[in-house]
């Protein structure tokens, strides 16, 4: 814990009193020095919600003082070729609250007014799930999942469970592979038709065995390679998990060719936040059950221990 001055409002910004902030795997990568674009000694926290405490006099926003809001941490430049072609998440000048500038593991944070989404009607803890859910919205879109598809989700952490819920609610038959018993149980609650410790597709993918879409939600080279092995001919593999920068996956070009596989990845959450907030408000899934541990900001060390030991699902900090 360090003490920093209360952030100062600037034109176009709002002051947020943080209400709930989730710990994410990206935070672990940042603290291990595995996120090259992260700012040294940044205050982490990019999955958070809070209440609007102040609005700069020159800021235009529909939000009102006291509103509960979710925050999209990704702020593009709006000037580069990617921003101008509706791929703003690939902006080379993107700055991210909690990664490149101070984030939500604090009592207060200043954010651009364009980054806030009013979330009246849900709890602050559930509202803090909007950012990871928006990333999952993008992932599921990228996988082009159709009703009736056979989908495999590798890894049943919070992201994998969110992928499971969205795919299952869209009519897909979802199998979840996860070593942790508690997480396998959670996968069933989130809509998985089948859960398993290890995947056996039962035959040759060229003969139609395997899955139409495979989502890797772990971030390890081994499971990314496994995802390729589990996709049937004509299938799609989506790497959702974040691997170390030096991780390498061995890929057989002939296998990709013969099975006509499509390999995709996802990066952040383009155009996903508003949809994520709507999904949370719709409450067709028990999203609150993702949050298994809650700590005060002064208990951060204990929260970090729970997170790194994988003894729960989402760990939430309430400043």
């Amino acid at each position: 814990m360090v003490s920093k001055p209360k952030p100062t409002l600037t034109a176009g910004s709002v002051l947020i009193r943080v209400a709930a902030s989730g710990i994410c795997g990206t935070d672990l990568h940042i603290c291990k020095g595995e996120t090259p674009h992260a700012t040294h000694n940044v205050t982490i926290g990019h999955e958070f919600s809070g209440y609007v405490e102040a609005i700069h006099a020159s800021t235009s926003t529909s939000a009102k003082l006291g509103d509960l809001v979710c925050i999209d941490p990704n702020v593009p430049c709006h000037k580069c070729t990617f921003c101008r072609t509706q791929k703003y998440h690939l902006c080379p000048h993107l700055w991210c609250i909690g990664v490149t500038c101070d984030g939500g593991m604090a009592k207060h944070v200043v954010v651009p007014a364009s980054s806030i989404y009013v979330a009246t009607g849900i709890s602050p803890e559930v509202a803090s799930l909007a950012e990871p859910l928006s990333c999952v919205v993008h992932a599921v879109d990228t996988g082009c999942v159709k009703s009736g598809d056979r989908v495999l989700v590798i890894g049943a952490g919070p992201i994998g469970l969110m992928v499971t819920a969205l795919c299952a609610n869209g009519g897909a038959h979802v199998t979840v592979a996860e070593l942790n018993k508690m997480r396998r149980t959670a996968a069933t609650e989130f809509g998985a038709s089948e859960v398993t410790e290890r995947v056996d597709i039962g035959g040759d993918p060229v003969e139609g065995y395997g899955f139409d879409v495979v989502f890797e939600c772990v971030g390890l080279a081994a499971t990314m390679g496994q995802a390729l092995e589990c996709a049937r001919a004509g299938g799609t593999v989506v790497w959702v998990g974040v691997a170390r920068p030096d991780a390498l996956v061995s890929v057989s070009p002939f296998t990709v060719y013969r099975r006509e596989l499509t390999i995709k990845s996802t990066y952040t959450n383009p155009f996903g936040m508003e949809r994520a907030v709507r999904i949370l408000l719709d409450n067709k899934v028990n999203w609150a059950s993702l949050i298994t541990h809650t700590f005060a900001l002064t208990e951060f060390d204990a929260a970090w221990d729970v997170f790194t030991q994988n003894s729960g699902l989402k760990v939430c900090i309430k400043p």
Side-chain angles (χ1 to χ4, degrees), residues 208-222:
Y209 292 90
F211 298 87
D212 299 294
V213 187
V214 182
F215 293 94
E216 194 282 344
C217 301
V218 180
L220 296 176

Side-chain angles (χ1 to χ4, degrees), residues 40-90:
H40 183 59
N41 286 337
V42 71
T43 299
I44 58 173
H46 59 276
E47 302 180 0
F48 65 101
S49 68
Y51 295 98
V52 178
E53 186 165 289
I55 303 172
H56 191 275
S58 67
T59 297
S60 176
T61 177
S62 60
K64 301 177 178 61
L65 294 177
D67 279 349
L68 175 67
V69 294
C70 310
I71 290 84
D72 184 348
N74 299 302
V75 185
C77 73
H78 298 295
K79 299 175 183 177
C80 70
T81 181
F82 295 108
C83 287
R84 289 172 179 263
T85 54
Q86 298 184 8
K87 298 177 182 178
Y88 70 86
H89 61 303
L90 302 178

Side-chain angles (χ1 to χ4, degrees), residues 140-164:
V140 173
D141 285 352
T142 299
C144 301
V145 177
K146 302 183 295 296
S147 298
D149 274 353
R150 288 177 51 82
V151 171
L152 172 64
V153 178
I154 301 176
I159 294 296
L161 292 174
M162 287 178 171
V163 171
T164 298

Side-chain angles (χ1 to χ4, degrees), residues 219-221 224 243-249:
L220 296 176
M224 289 176 167
R244 288 169 50 98
D246 58 354
L248 297 174
V249 179

